[in-house]
Amino acid sequence: MNMVQKVARVLDPEIWDSEGDYRLERQRIQSRRDKAMQLARETISAMLEPTDAMVAAFDKDVDDWFSEKIADPMHLYKVMIDAALKEGTR
């Protein structure tokens, strides 16, 4: 599953489990899935420009990452996403 699909499933989880649900017509299911996929693309695109909190989190950890204290190359990506997720909780 790619990232757009993952996000689309979060945005409208009910529609992805509707294959055997004949209460929803196939066309309506596909329309909702298409809409969820478009919203997912827009949601991910909104993250192209990092926020100040994301940049600060990156700056805090980048020196450790470059000095190889952090083995996981995805660490900085995760740090920035975590910072974005925490912004709405303060």
Side-chain angles (χ1 to χ4, degrees), residues 61-70:
D61 280 27
V62 72
D63 290 334
D64 286 342
W65 186 77
F66 277 118
S67 67
E68 297 184 31
K69 292 180 186 171
I70 300 170

Side-chain angles (χ1 to χ4, degrees), residues 14-53:
E14 172 189 318
I15 202 64
W16 302 99
D17 297 329
S18 299
E19 290 293 350
D21 188 350
Y22 296 106
R23 292 174 294 149
L24 297 173
E25 312 119 35
R26 285 189 198 278
Q27 188 174 23
R28 186 167 156 230
I29 290 170
Q30 190 58 49
S31 177
R32 276 182 61 184
R33 285 182 179 173
D34 291 346
K35 178 69 172 172
M37 293 291 283
Q38 182 58 38
L39 287 172
R41 285 184 196 89
E42 292 170 11
T43 300
I44 295 167
S45 292
M47 295 186 70
L48 284 172
E49 189 75 29
T51 64
D52 292 341

Side-chain angles (χ1 to χ4, degrees), residues 4 16 19 39 49 54 75 80-81:
V4 174
W16 302 99
E19 290 293 350
L39 287 172
E49 189 75 29
M54 293 170 75
H75 175 76
M80 293 178 75
I81 298 298

